[in-house]
Amino acid sequence: MLTHFQFKPLYKNTDIPGWEFSFFYKKLKRTGRYLKDGKIEWGLNAPHGDERTGLEKQIHELMLFHVYDR
């Protein structure tokens, strides 16, 4: 389970989609960018394999809830 999920807009004009995010998973801070087309660009401590797939699903759900369902 990921914890301490945070996100902020990539651009000062908040009408332009794109966000930076960070969270902790298995005691590691992980970062990345959530782009307007739903792609995720990983930054710090990028996950691999099945772990990556699972985390990306959770991130998509969180972004839908926090950004798109406002």
Side-chain angles (χ1 to χ4, degrees):
M1 180 174 164
L2 60 88
T3 59
H4 302 290
F5 183 79
Q6 298 178 27
F7 67 95
K8 65 180 181 178
L10 282 174
Y11 310 102
K12 288 182 182 179
N13 178 353
T14 57
D15 292 336
I16 301 172
W19 301 266
E20 292 180 332
F21 64 83
S22 66
F23 61 90
F24 285 87
Y25 181 75
K26 293 187 177 179
K27 299 182 182 180
L28 289 174
K29 182 176 183 177
R30 305 191 187 235
T31 63
R33 291 180 172 192
Y34 190 87
L35 305 177
K36 65 180 178 180
D37 60 0
K39 289 183 183 175
I40 294 174
E41 292 178 350
W42 289 96
L44 186 65
N45 295 315
H48 302 285
D50 290 338
E51 184 175 82
R52 181 182 196 130
T53 303
L55 286 174
E56 286 183 353
K57 285 180 183 179
Q58 290 181 56
I59 292 166
H60 287 303
E61 288 178 15
L62 286 165
M63 293 304 289
L64 285 172
F65 178 77
H66 289 294
V67 175
Y68 294 108
D69 283 348
R70 295 192 278 161

